[in-house]
Structure formats: C-alpha cells, structure tokens
Amino acid sequence: MMGPDRRLTVLGGLASLSACAAQPRIGSGLSPADLLPPLAPIRAHRDRLFDITVCLRPFRAAGPRLDTEMIGDALVIHNYGHGGSGWSLSWGSGTLALEKAMSRGPKEIAVIGSGALGLAAATLALRAGLSVTIYCKELIQQARSARASGLWTPDSRIAMAKDAAPGFGDTWERMARISWKTYRDYLGLPGNPVEFRDRYSLSDGATAQEDDQGFAAYAGRIDDLTPRSVALPAEVTPFPVTGVRRTSTLQFNVHDYAHQLLGDIRAMGGKVVVREFHDPGEFGQLKEKVVINCTGYGARALMGDQTIVPVRGQIGWLIPQPEVTYGLYYRDVSVISRSDGIVVQSLEGGDLKGFNNDHEVPDRAESEAAVDVIENLYARFRA
Ligand SMILES: Cc1cc2nc3c(=O)[nH]c(=O)nc-3n(C[C@H](O)[C@H](O)[C@H](O)COP(=O)(O)OP(=O)(O)OC[C@H]3O[C@@H](n4cnc5c(N)ncnc54)[C@H](O)[C@@H]3O)c2cc1C
C-alpha cells in the first residue's frame, strides 16, 4: 500500500501514511471471481467541494500514552496520543485501558473525551457492566476524530522508529488484533458504519520514492489479517494509467459510525456530560474514582504534555456519490468514497508537510489542487 510514511504503500491510501509493510503484499493472481465490477466515475470538480476540514493527529514519538497515575484518590488511565491510527486502534487501546480499570473493581467509571478513543473505551466499559459517564468538551461530531479519513491505518504515525517505547511493538500488535476483531461487530449494519471497499492504486510509471519520515512500521506483524493487493492488467480497467493494483480495505464511514457508537452508548445507559477540564487535578474531584483519559490532542494543553506533536491533515469533501463504491490513490492524492462525502486528500501537497504544524485553518488551494488531479484522471476515464 502506499502511504505518507511509505509512498510505496499506495493501496492503503492514507493508509499509506501508515508505516505499512515495506512493500504491498502481493496476491497470488487473478481468477474469474476477480473480474472488475463496473466502476462509476467520480465527479471531481472544484465547484463540488462542499467542505474542507482540518484535523491534527496527536502524535507522540514514543507511541501513545497508556500508563496510569493517581490524581487525588482517582486512578487515572491515560489513553491518548494515537497519531494517525486512533480510529483503527481504538478498540484494542480501549481494551488495554479497561483491563487496568478493572484492577480496581470499579462499579462506575468516567471517560474523559468522546473522540474515537473515548467512545470505544466507554462502549467496552458498558459492555463489561459498568456505569459510565463520558465528560467531554466536544461531542464526537465536533471532536477532531470526526475529521479523519476513515481507513484501517493501524500504524499510521503511531510512533517514531527510533523513539518507540521498549516493547511498544508487542503492545501495538495486541491493540491492532483486538481492534480488527472488534470491527467485525460493526460490519453489515444498516447504514454500513464499517465496510470493506476495493481500493485502486494507480500509477503512470513514475518512480515512487521512499519517504517514511522515520515513522515506526508495524503492519508486517499483522500480515495474516489483511487482504493482499493484486496487479490488474491496466487495459481491462477504465483507468488511463499503466499500473493498477487493487486491494480490499476496511473503511469507517465516520459519521454513520460515530452516530452508531453514541446511540449504542446511550442505549446501554451511558451518560454524556459536556464539561471542559482546565487542570488534571479536576479528575480527582469527580465522583468516579477510576478515570480513562481520552483527550487526544487536547492532552497537550490539559496535561501539559509537550511530547504530543500536531500532525496536520486536510480533507476536501466532494458531494457524496453512492454509486461510487471504491477508493483510489493516484499521484499522491487519496480518494475515499464515504456515505457522507468523497474524501480527497493530498499527500505531497499537504499531509507530508503536516508534521509539527498546528494550523487548523483550511487551505482551499491545497484541496483544489488535489481535486484537479482527480478531475484530470476522470477526463481520460474509459467509461
Ligand atoms: C486528516 C486525518 C486523517 C485521519 N485518518 C485516519 C484514518 O483513516 N484512520 C485512523 O485510524 N485514524 C485516522 N486519523 C487519526 C485519528 O483521527 C486520531 O488518531 C483520532 O482522532 C484521535 O482520537 P482521540 O479520541 O484521541 O482524540 P479527539 O478526537 O481529539 O477527541 C478528544 C476528546 O477529548 C475532549 N477533550 C480534549 N480536551 C479536553 C478538556 N480539556 N476537557 C474536556 N474534554 C476534552 C475533546 O472534546 C474530544 O471529545 C486521521 C487524522 C487526520 C488528521
């Protein structure tokens, strides 16, 4: 797959940013069952950009903060700093956090934050029979997690290869395997909050260069889980390029999925309180004496955690096209067709320049340039 860290990990798209395995995994070949379904063209035009959003990945060179500490008489379990992998690792990371919480035998817990990590931790605690209150400054719809691309990218900017905490690779693998398994619970539901989609990596024959930016790569540890990519003869595809590879990718339709998670939490009796914390000491004043801290990038200010580095990423949103049931990666632009819009993301022109950039104001020119690349592709599409 192509991604930000390894541009050869094209198939994962931004998944690419993931420090995927060094090379795409190659399948054994095509069978009649692999024939291409009809592919609807994407209507990529600047005037169809209906929104542009920016999100900051909460990156820590050592990997996410997963330790515990006592604040007052409360056990606080930290669960933040998941870089570009927060949705992907949410269930595994939440499981680890809950294991620590259960060591206290609590009847009730507080979860701080309602982003990807907070919602998963709260769901798991409710499933374990605990009484759960989520405290958050913003509900999921306003949280940074709502502005993610929505692909399975479990090792995207999750740590620096040279700075990862000792043993983090094993922890990562456990988190990734638990998450993958748990996502099974959300496949096939109305609205398709989570689904598998084909993803095409297109090349014009230009030589891709390695550009891993030093991020840790762990995807090879879970090679047995994820589908392999296969090369397709370009001439049997509608794409006007010389190289085409296809893989199947787990995709999160983030708006549907977040809606589902929050609805499930409320249905299980979970409470949500909108509240901002200004000092970690306030955790110790909560009535719940076990607290899971899922404040994401917000932990940088709240916890004074300067090890969190912002990694900016911007998405241009094209009007949804339900008939487009695939994603693609072409000339450093990733496209994901989601039920709530078509994600267009520039790697070379945006994401790869996002490290240590906390500028959350959208740059329209960046998104328009990415849309132009895709418009040019479809101008030559063999319908
Ligand atoms: C462009 C882009 C694309 C991405 N694509 C993907 C992808 O495809 N797949 C993937 O797995 N990951 C992806 N990511 C990464 C993912 O978005 C993050 O890892 C994830 O959002 C982190 O979630 P979180 O719950 O830790 O933080 P957030 O979503 O930031 O949630 C934090 C929560 O804590 C609350 N909070 C913070 N501070 C306070 C406070 N002081 N008091 C009270 N509440 C507080 C917030 O209000 C919020 O509710 C992407 C990121 C970017 C930028």
Side-chain angles (χ1 to χ4, degrees), residues 167-219:
F168 178 64
D170 292 341
T171 304
W172 177 89
E173 182 174 342
R174 182 155 181 249
M175 293 194 293
R177 287 186 182 278
I178 293 170
S179 275
W180 181 263
K181 192 81 177 161
T182 309
Y183 269 116
R184 180 79 180 77
D185 301 347
Y186 294 90
L187 287 170
L189 297 185
N192 285 323
V194 176
E195 61 184 331
F196 279 100
R197 285 238 158 148
D198 282 345
R199 188 161 174 78
Y200 296 88
S201 174
L202 311 179
S203 107
D204 292 321
T207 310
Q209 292 171 11
E210 295 269 347
D211 184 5
D212 65 11
Q213 301 189 323
F215 293 111
Y218 298 114

Side-chain angles (χ1 to χ4, degrees), residues 14 55-58 79-89 112-118 135-140 143-154 252 275-278 294-299 302 311-315 345 351:
L14 272 218
C55 174
L56 304 180
R57 300 172 180 86
N79 190 27
Y80 68 78
H82 296 74
S85 306
W87 281 108
S88 306
L89 293 177
I112 317 297
S114 78
L117 276 298
Y135 298 91
C136 58
K137 188 168 68 170
E138 297 127 337
L139 293 176
I140 177 64
R144 291 190 173 90
S145 291
R147 306 195 287 271
S149 327
L151 290 182
W152 169 255
T153 59
F252 319 128
R275 167 175 173 179
E276 179 170 4
F277 294 80
H278 301 279
C294 307
T295 45
Y297 185 71
L302 177 62
V311 184
R312 183 186 191 278
Q314 174 170 308
I315 292 175
Q345 208 166 347
D351 267 62

Side-chain angles (χ1 to χ4, degrees), residues 187-342:
L187 287 170
L189 297 185
N192 285 323
V194 176
E195 61 184 331
F196 279 100
R197 285 238 158 148
D198 282 345
R199 188 161 174 78
Y200 296 88
S201 174
L202 311 179
S203 107
D204 292 321
T207 310
Q209 292 171 11
E210 295 269 347
D211 184 5
D212 65 11
Q213 301 189 323
F215 293 111
Y218 298 114
R221 286 173 167 255
I222 55 167
D223 255 2
D224 56 307
L225 295 183
T226 49
R228 292 164 191 272
S229 83
V230 292
L232 302 176
E235 61 278 9
V236 306
T237 79
F239 298 112
V241 296
T242 52
V244 178
R245 299 196 68 88
R246 181 178 63 191
T247 192
S248 296
T249 307
L250 194 65
Q251 172 172 318
F252 319 128
N253 291 307
V254 172
H255 285 191
D256 259 330
Y257 178 45
H259 193 72
Q260 173 90 40
L261 289 173
L262 205 50
D264 287 355
I265 286 169
R266 290 199 160 116
M268 286 189 284
K271 295 189 245 353
V272 181
V273 175
V274 175
R275 167 175 173 179
E276 179 170 4
F277 294 80
H278 301 279
D279 184 285
E282 294 170 39
F283 292 168
Q285 293 156 13
L286 293 169
K287 69 180 173 56
E288 297 87 359
K289 293 303 160 199
V290 176
V291 177
I292 303 181
N293 174 18
C294 307
T295 45
Y297 185 71
R300 184 177 155 103
L302 177 62
M303 308 303 296
D305 186 346
Q306 300 301 311
T307 67
I308 299 184
V309 177
V311 184
R312 183 186 191 278
Q314 174 170 308
I315 292 175
W317 295 89
L318 291 171
I319 295 170
Q321 286 183 251
E323 73 279 16
V324 176
T325 55
Y326 62 94
L328 59 82
Y329 189 91
Y330 176 61
R331 291 195 179 175
D332 278 323
V333 175
S334 170
V335 179
I336 305 164
S337 180
R338 282 178 21 188
S339 48
D340 54 338
I342 297 183

